Every structure is written in C-alpha cells, then in structure tokens.
Amino acid sequence: MSSTKTIGIIGGGQLGQMMAISAIYMGHKVITLDPASDCPSSRVSEVIAAPYDDVDALRQLADRCDILTYEFENVDADGLDAVIKDGQLPQGTELLRISQNRIFEKDFLSNKAQVTVAPYKVVTSSLDLEDIDLSKNYVLKTATGGYDGHGQKVITSAEDLEEANALANSAECVLEEFVNFDLEISVIVSGNGKDVTVFPVQENIHRNNILSKTIVPARISDRLADRAKAIAVKIAEQLNLSGTLCVEMFATADDIIVNEIAPRPHNSGHYSIEACDFSQFDTHILGVLGAPLPAINLHEHAVMLNVLGQHVEAAERYVTENPSAHLHMYGKLEAKHNRKMGHVTLFSNEPDNVVEFGKGIDF
Ligand code: AMP
C-alpha cells in the first residue's frame, strides 16, 4: 500500500495552509474545503469552494480523501458525521462538540480530565446572576460562538450587571471567577491515537484580545512548566488525541489553571516551524495519519510576532532590517484592520527587546 495519502482539510485559512505545507513535503496530496476559492490554502492545494455546512461538498471531500482533518473547531459536527467513513476523521467529532461549547468544555476539563479550571457555573438567564457575590470578579462568556474576547463581559461591580444580564438573557453562558494570573501560557500537544508528544510552554501576550507576541520558553519556573506540560498530556490522553491540540492556561505564582482547549494547531505554536525540530503542523499531520511521533526539541529561544492588517508595512520593514527574522505571509488578498496576515519568528534570549508591531502606534 502506498504511504502517500490524500488529506482533506476543512478550512483553508493560515492554519489549513500551514498544515497543507507540512503534508505536501511529506509527499501527501491535499484537498481543501473553504468557502473562498482564493483562500490562503489555494496557494498550495486544490480547493473545493463551498460553505462548511454544504453536506454535498463535505461528501465530495470525504469521497476523494483518505483522511480528513479540520483547521478550526466551528465545523458542523452533524454534517461531518453524516459523510465520514469509519476512522476517516481521526480527531473525531466528539472533540469538536466539546470545544464548540464552553459548558461541555468545562465539564470535560474539570470532571473527565480532572484538571484545574477557574470556579464556574452555568448561566441560563439573568436569574442565575441575581445572587452572585460581588466581592469577587468574574467573566461571563457565551457558551457558543465566542472568540478572541467576543461574547464576553467582565463583571467587577454592580454597574457591569446590566450588560451581563443582557448577555445572559441572549444566550447560554458560563460565569467564571476572574483569575488574577501572572502570565497567559499555552502548550501544544499532539497525539496519534496511542502516544502523545508535547511542545515547550509558550508565553502569550494579547492586545485587544488578539495574540500579539509569543515567547518560548515561557518565563515561568521549571516546576510550573513541567506542571503545564503534564496537564496538556493528561488532557490529550483523556481524549485519545489524534492530531494537534492547544491548551490555553493561566499561570499564577504557584498554580496552573486551564482556560480552554483548541483542537488544532494554534497561533501560539507557529514559532515551532523554525525553533523546533518538528512543527505543530508536522506533528498534526503525522498524528492524524497515526504515524509515530517524534520527541520535540527547542533549538533556540524564540519570539513570534503576529502581523495584523495594520502591521504589514512595519513587518516588511522589520525583516529588511533584521534579515535573520523569518517572515511568513499567508497570502490573504485584503489587509483588513486586525486581520491576521502573517507572523514573524526570530530567535532571541531577550524577548522584552523584541517590540511588537504597532506598539504605541496602532494595535
Ligand atoms: P477566552 O475567549 O476564554 O480565550 O478569553 C479571552 C481572554 O480573556 C483570555 O485570553 C484572557 O486574557 C481573558 N480571560 C478569559 N477568562 C478569564 C478569567 N477567568 N480570568 C481572567 N481573565 C480571563
């Protein structure tokens, strides 16, 4: 049997494109499903241009591919279940359902994986907010559809309740206690259905709720870093993980609290393309194919800077002045404000001296 596979990727944004690049240099063929025929993956793969919930298009993808994977979690799980053959989607649709809904996700993390999350409760209407103890701070998050801080309301006083009540009456939510973290961190872990491999701990700096800078290794103690990696491995093992998963966490002085999981390669893992011996995309492809997974070594301390629409010129200037920095551009046609257009990875032991694009001017 040929070891060359046809891999179908649902979603042709930057994550799908970088997955496809890894798959291609391993000798595989890639077909992408994306609503836009000129999506980033169109540079490197054939594209079936159709909406994600178009069951005929999903079936065409499934019929033409040996293995299917996805680049984002808001895929129609029922539609996929209707078309996939046994074992064709190694990540499974259960993981999709868990990560699509914060209520399922919290339940999975706290009760099944038994890792620490911020104390939370499910909120079905504003009635559930009536008796909250306002000596504490909270974040109210819609159970579905939120991303990058959308669908969230921080509650620090009674004045915040009007907006919070409106949010709670518009959708099912979870109310989490606010974590006074020192750092936001994440860990990439990949599985092949049997074994897992784990990446170094990443430190993440957000601006306007969008990742701006990732520093690797994260500036936390070895003890906390080991704990963060152990948590990611525990979650992966509980899921019998296939492919790459990112676990986002908060680091306090002496604890690690899990925030959420993303069942795919993640923006905070892009540094691994140059700084590790295998990237998060390589291990994703190996993992979904059920291939043996390598241990991951970090060659150099690294910093990744995101390039948003308003930063493209600054990033291009930066790499002219710093030719050892790696500029990745995803091939998006329109540079909209806050749209992720690319990233830069550089090796540095002095991450504070690596200035984010747009700092002080235009985040
Ligand atoms: P999320 O959509 O859950 O990733 O949240 C977006 C951002 O809000 C996170 O990156 C944190 O900066 C912040 N955040 C979310 N949940 C909490 C929490 N329980 N306590 C403090 N900050 C939070």
Side-chain angles (χ1 to χ4, degrees):
M1 201 178 79
S2 161
S3 59
T4 299
K5 303 281 186 209
T6 302
I7 300 175
I9 303 180
I10 300 167
Q14 63 268 21
L15 299 177
Q17 184 198 58
M18 290 185 271
M19 281 182 197
I21 292 169
S22 282
I24 287 163
Y25 77 64
M26 292 177 201
H28 307 298
K29 178 180 158 69
V30 175
I31 305 175
T32 298
L33 174 71
D34 192 283
S37 56
D38 58 2
C39 61
S41 289
S42 68
R43 307 277 172 120
V44 291
S45 94
E46 178 185 337
V47 176
I48 298 174
Y52 295 123
D53 59 359
D54 179 335
V55 176
D56 287 338
L58 278 172
R59 182 167 292 116
Q60 191 193 338
L61 187 73
D63 286 347
R64 293 183 58 199
C65 295
D66 301 301
I67 288 285
L68 297 179
T69 182
Y70 45 78
E71 67 147 13
F72 69 116
E73 49 273 32
N74 285 318
V75 177
D76 176 9
D78 292 337
L80 261 182
D81 273 336
V83 303
I84 50 176
K85 302 171 200 84
D86 247 6
Q88 201 181 15
L89 182 75
Q91 292 156 285
T93 48
E94 191 49 31
L95 177 54
L96 275 180
R97 291 193 171 85
I98 291 172
S99 38
Q100 279 170 0
N101 186 313
R102 290 188 194 272
I103 300 172
F104 301 159
E105 184 179 46
K106 292 277 187 226
D107 178 53
F108 166 78
L109 290 170
S110 52
N111 298 323
K112 293 226 175 64
Q114 300 194 335
V115 297
T116 306
V117 299
Y120 75 98
K121 74 170 186 173
V122 175
V123 167
T124 52
S125 81
S126 56
L127 294 176
D128 294 321
L129 298 178
E130 271 179 358
D131 56 355
I132 60 171
D133 170 7
L134 283 172
S135 67
K136 293 179 184 163
N137 296 331
Y138 304 88
V139 190
L140 183 70
K141 302 178 179 178
T142 55
T144 60
Y147 66 96
D148 287 346
H150 295 267
Q152 295 192 11
K153 176 70 192 158
V154 175
I155 305 172
T156 58
S157 71
E159 273 105 78
D160 297 316
L161 280 177
E162 194 178 327
E163 252 183 74
N165 285 337
L167 190 62
N169 287 330
S170 70
E172 268 197 319
C173 294
V174 291
L175 181 74
E176 292 175 21
E177 278 186 24
F178 194 89
V179 179
N180 285 316
F181 55 80
D182 290 338
L183 291 179
E184 293 197 66
I185 60 170
S186 56
V187 176
I188 301 286
V189 58
S190 300
N192 61 8
K194 295 189 293 287
D195 306 312
V196 302
T197 192
V198 64
F199 286 73
V201 182
Q202 298 134 205
E203 173 182 335
N204 299 324
I205 296 165
H206 298 90
R207 307 283 168 202
N208 304 326
N209 281 313
I210 302 171
L211 184 65
S212 178
K213 178 174 179 178
T214 294
I215 298 166
V216 192
R219 292 168 293 179
I220 54 176
S221 67
D222 289 347
R223 189 181 64 82
L224 279 185
D226 287 345
R227 190 183 303 177
K229 287 166 83 165
I231 287 171
V233 167
K234 194 172 178 195
I235 291 170
E237 287 177 347
Q238 183 65 38
L239 291 164
N240 289 325
L241 180 70
S242 290
T244 289
L245 174 94
C246 180
V247 184
E248 295 182 61
M249 314 178 211
F250 302 124
T252 64
D254 55 6
D255 207 1
I256 302 286
I257 293 149
V258 177
N259 179 29
E260 60 181 2
I261 55 175
R264 52 170 170 78
H266 189 263
N267 195 168
S268 61
H270 290 354
Y271 75 95
S272 61
I273 295 174
E274 286 92 8
C276 297
D277 38 12
F278 288 80
S279 78
Q280 60 167 348
F281 303 100
D282 299 337
T283 54
H284 181 74
I285 297 297
L286 292 169
V288 295
L289 292 175
L293 290 170
I296 300 299
N297 294 302
L298 180 71
H299 296 310
E300 298 265 6
H301 289 212
V303 177
M304 190 250 6
L305 302 175
N306 258 349
V307 180
L308 302 182
Q310 62 272 35
H311 304 149
V312 172
E313 279 170 25
E316 284 169 353
R317 230 177 10 254
Y318 184 84
V319 290
T320 323
E321 287 157 14
N322 300 275
S324 57
H326 297 264
L327 175 65
H328 292 244
M329 293 302 289
Y330 308 139
K332 294 184 184 176
L333 300 181
E334 215 187 326
K336 289 189 200 148
H337 191 84
N338 282 353
R339 186 176 201 201
K340 290 176 185 171
M341 300 299 291
H343 70 267
V344 169
T345 299
L346 56 142
F347 300 143
S348 173
N349 286 322
E350 296 176 327
D352 283 337
N353 293 340
V354 180
V355 180
E356 295 153 72
F357 299 121
K359 183 149 192 178
I361 315 161
D362 182 14
F363 271 120

